[in-house]
Amino acid sequence: PTPDCVGCWAAKGGAIVAMDARDGAIRALASAPRYNPSLYAGRVDQGALDRAGLTVARAEALNRPGLNRAIAGLYPAGSTFKPVTALAAMQEHLISPYEPLQCDPVFESYDQKFKNWNSSTNMPMALATALEQSCDTYFYRLGEAFYRLPDDRGQPLQSWASQFGFGKRSGIEIPGESSGLLPTIRWRKATYDTKLDRLWKPGDSIQLAIGQKDLQVTPLQMTRFYAFLANRGRLVTPHLVTAVVRPGTNRSDPVPIRRLPAPPVKPVNVDPTGLEVVRQGLYQATHGTFGTSTAVFGSFPIAIAGKTGTAEMAVPVPGLPPGTLVDQSWWCGYGPVESPELVVCALIENGGHGGTAAAPAALEVFAEYFDVPAEYQLPTSTD
């Protein structure tokens, strides 16, 4: 529980992915709630499976412990998606890296009002600062600019997001991975029946720019994208197996039979200057005066860069009216900043703000990996 989130959270599940930034090797793949795999060993007891929530009858009541949320949980990305929008906008020359845009409390477009998460901010910002403070209205303006592009330009935000791994499986070598949903004009026309619902509207582009509306991603997809940022434009393939071994004898180490090289890294052609500005914004988000997770990472002895996300999602919560939007808490990032080794992405279902739930969880992973203490303060409010 956090003071700024009383009454707006109901955390009871989530996922954390930790991956080697350099080659995509998975270091940790955690999903909660969890179950004891030994329930499937030997003679399977259907009653035990039922009590553990591993049957159709009981899964929903116990929040689906059989779902591997790390690879198959689907969520709006919220503000962790803003670097995608930033890179795409620069690639399409909708904005230059240092061009200021207004960050104000409310952005009005096509007779609709879209609010910034921080109602007290009203100033022009360049891109790195907009990422540091996670200004929604800055990115709403980019979303509108994408919407206003001529039809012959297609939907370049979605095209770049696809190149970064969204809307498709990563290729990890275990079953059950979801491809997520990257909404497009074609998808909307194929999905809905009425003329109004099939229409791609301004709000679709505007809200996609901050990772909301119909977008659905997995924690693994977000981890892969932040590894792309850490690698300065190289997209890795997440993988679990590095070698096939046979047991050693007399307590000796296992003997490798066959080593499996990491899948090849795929370069994506993005402007290196724009990429460095995004990386700078992610560092400011963890170390800047107004960084949304500076309170968590600012004093950590290893320089970490990353981004909070607070994604609204309609979920059934006891005591709340049907359709209530509940915050999904995200934090994704990497470290050390100059030579990244580890990428971590944490998602806390119905967990409140990104800086007060997911960011501290991710910090604990970095602390364990680098073997240093995790000491932090919780921010009072974040996106």
Side-chain angles (χ1 to χ4, degrees):
T2 56
D4 58 312
C5 258
V6 172
C8 70
W9 58 271
K12 58 178 181 178
I16 293 180
V17 180
M19 187 172 73
D20 192 308
R22 298 159 291 193
D23 64 4
I26 296 294
R27 302 303 181 202
L29 203 65
S31 178
R34 58 187 180 180
Y35 65 92
N36 187 347
S38 67
L39 291 172
Y40 289 105
R43 187 172 182 176
V44 177
D45 183 339
Q46 290 296 320
L49 295 182
D50 190 62
R51 290 189 294 274
L54 298 173
T55 61
V56 173
R58 291 282 292 161
E60 199 65 35
L62 296 179
N63 200 23
R64 299 172 296 161
L67 173 66
N68 186 343
R69 286 161 164 78
I71 67 170
L74 294 176
Y75 312 90
S79 293
T80 56
F81 194 77
K82 287 175 179 174
V84 177
T85 303
L87 288 174
M90 287 186 289
Q91 289 296 122
E92 296 299 317
H93 306 292
L94 300 182
I95 191 173
S96 66
Y98 304 103
E99 175 185 348
L101 292 180
Q102 188 68 20
C103 176
D104 38 18
V106 178
F107 173 65
E108 296 189 33
S109 177
Y110 294 91
D111 297 324
Q112 288 184 287
K113 293 184 178 181
F114 301 89
K115 295 181 180 179
N116 187 25
W117 75 272
N118 186 347
S119 61
S120 64
T121 304
N122 195 349
M123 59 183 290
M125 291 183 178
L127 175 56
T129 303
L131 288 171
E132 173 190 348
Q133 300 190 31
S134 198
C135 176
D136 292 327
T137 50
Y138 178 104
F139 287 92
Y140 290 147
R141 296 177 193 281
L142 297 184
E144 183 190 62
F146 278 112
Y147 179 80
R148 290 179 180 274
L149 288 175
D151 291 345
D152 61 5
R153 292 282 295 274
Q155 291 189 291
L157 173 54
Q158 288 90 327
S159 297
W160 283 106
S162 178
Q163 292 190 57
F164 300 150
F166 295 100
K168 60 185 71 174
R169 295 180 180 89
S170 71
I172 193 171
E173 63 281 57
I174 52 176
E177 182 183 11
S178 173
S179 59
L181 172 61
L182 184 58
T184 63
I185 292 173
R186 178 181 295 181
W187 163 81
R188 182 163 282 283
K189 287 181 177 179
T191 302
Y192 294 99
D193 296 326
T194 69
K195 183 177 180 180
L196 182 61
D197 287 337
R198 297 180 70 196
L199 180 66
W200 185 270
K201 297 176 279 294
D204 294 316
S205 292
I206 290 169
Q207 293 188 66
L208 178 60
I210 66 160
Q212 286 282 180
K213 195 74 184 324
D214 299 307
L215 178 72
Q216 292 184 331
V217 303
T218 69
L220 182 62
Q221 287 174 328
M222 293 307 305
T223 307
R224 189 186 189 199
F225 171 66
Y226 276 77
F228 165 82
L229 299 175
N231 285 324
R232 294 178 168 87
R234 298 183 304 142
L235 196 64
V236 299
T237 298
H239 61 281
L240 289 159
V241 182
T242 57
V244 179
V245 302
R246 59 178 170 82
T249 58
N250 297 323
R251 299 183 180 179
S252 62
D253 292 336
V255 179
I257 299 173
R258 181 163 61 99
R259 296 192 182 278
L260 302 177
V265 176
K266 176 187 175 183
V268 180
N269 187 23
V270 294
D271 177 59
T273 300
L275 189 57
E276 285 305 313
V277 171
V278 169
R279 285 169 51 87
Q280 178 61 36
L282 297 181
Y283 179 77
Q284 291 176 204
T286 55
H287 291 81
T289 302
F290 299 102
T292 55
S293 59
T294 295
V296 177
F297 291 96
S299 60
F300 191 61
I302 308 298
I304 304 296
K307 184 75 190 71
T308 53
T310 304
E312 292 182 333
M313 184 175 176
V315 295
V317 175
L320 294 180
T324 297
L325 296 177
V326 184
D327 292 336
Q328 311 301 298
S329 177
W330 284 95
W331 188 92
C332 296
Y334 53 84
V337 168
E338 292 305 318
S339 184
E341 297 177 23
L342 191 70
V343 181
V344 177
C345 200
L347 177 280
I348 312 296
E349 288 182 358
N350 314 331
H353 293 170
T356 53
L363 178 65
E364 295 289 346
V365 179
F366 284 113
E368 181 70 20
Y369 178 83
F370 291 113
D371 194 24
V372 294
E375 299 178 356
Y376 60 90
Q377 294 178 336
L378 288 178
T380 56
S381 181
T382 67
D383 184 29

